[in-house]
Structure formats: structure tokens, C-alpha cells
Amino acid sequence: LGSKSEQLQQGCDAGFYLGEDALIRGRKDEAKQRFAKVLADCDLYRSNFIYFSRSYGAAAAELKRLP
């Protein structure tokens, strides 16, 4: 389970990878929703913790790439 910070990190990472899975399966709308949730949920922490910025940055890049 870990600390609150570790749980949030895991949630951000999981959200990103679930978005990637949705993309692979051709479910672009679901992928967009998952990436947007990563941005919303992880925004507060992305500048304070380096591990949040990876998932955040990757989700932001995927959203820019999607039509």
C-alpha cells in the first residue's frame, strides 16, 4: 500500500498505462479520458515529485498526439 504519495504515484502510473492499453485496443475516446484523468489527478504533484512528472508528461504528450 505505501504512503499517500506512493499511492498517488501508482494511481498516476496506472492511469497512464491503462490509457496506453486503450490506445492499443483502438479505444481512443477511453484513452483520452484516462490521459485527461492523469493530468487532473497528478497536476498538483507534478512539480514537486519527479516520478509524477513522468506519467504527467507522457499523458500530456499522448493527448496532444490524439485527434
Side-chain angles (χ1 to χ4, degrees):
L1 292 173
S3 69
K4 176 78 170 167
S5 178
E6 289 171 328
Q7 290 174 17
L8 289 170
Q9 175 200 357
Q10 291 169 355
C12 292
D13 290 344
F16 171 73
Y17 288 112
L18 288 169
E20 288 292 294
D21 180 67
L23 270 182
I24 290 167
R25 296 173 189 274
R27 299 188 306 245
K28 290 183 181 181
D29 289 338
E30 179 186 342
K32 286 181 188 179
Q33 290 173 347
R34 293 203 180 268
F35 295 139
K37 184 165 174 32
V38 169
L39 298 187
D41 291 350
C42 304
D43 184 56
L44 177 63
Y45 303 99
R46 72 183 168 99
S47 62
N48 296 328
F49 300 99
I50 189 68
Y51 43 75
F52 282 105
S53 64
R54 290 188 304 235
S55 295
Y56 186 95
E62 288 289 29
L63 277 174
K64 283 183 182 178
R65 192 174 69 81
L66 288 168

